[in-house]
Amino acid sequence: MAIDKVAYWLDIADYDLDTAEAMYQTGRWLYVAFMCHQTIEKTLKAYWCATCEDAPPYTHNHKRLAIGCGLYLQMNDEQRDFIETITNYNIEARYPENRDVLSHTLTKQACRQMIDQTKQLQQWIKDKL
């Protein structure tokens, strides 16, 4: 296990989650979603580093990461649905043509739920380490 790499990924994942909370406080919904995406991606990469011999792939696809490190089969349906949904916010939040569409789906309530689900999934993954 590459403890330094695990600690690195977990540290920046925690930082991203704190950033999601800060963006929530300022009403920047697109960035809440993006930072939640980043939190889960980096937590999955930490798990990958802890359990796999090779380095995690350069991908932002949560499902691919979860399958590759063996977590996907351990997830329940709600967790699987969440990672597939939140994966979209990495790409879509970056492009202006998608901002209008996303801004209608990302409300204060939806973002609070997203942060809460992110915290729950992140903790679940950490508990598996």
Side-chain angles (χ1 to χ4, degrees), residues 81-92:
D81 289 345
F82 181 65
I83 65 167
E84 290 185 33
T85 298
I86 202 163
T87 291
N88 297 324
Y89 291 107
N90 179 59
I91 307 277
E92 293 178 11

Side-chain angles (χ1 to χ4, degrees), residues 63-83:
K63 183 176 179 180
R64 181 173 170 211
L65 288 167
I67 289 170
C69 68
L71 272 180
Y72 192 76
L73 292 176
Q74 298 177 53
M75 291 179 171
N76 63 36
D77 289 340
E78 183 180 327
Q79 291 167 324
R80 289 179 186 157
D81 289 345
F82 181 65
I83 65 167

Side-chain angles (χ1 to χ4, degrees), residues 44-63:
L44 285 167
K45 288 180 178 181
Y47 185 86
W48 186 296
C49 288
T51 60
C52 300
E53 290 187 23
D54 57 333
Y58 293 105
T59 183
H60 304 292
N61 185 303
H62 295 129
K63 183 176 179 180

Side-chain angles (χ1 to χ4, degrees), residues 26 33 50 60-61 76 91 101 103-104 118:
T26 60
H60 304 292
N61 185 303
N76 63 36
I91 307 277
V101 173
S103 66
H104 295 297
T118 298

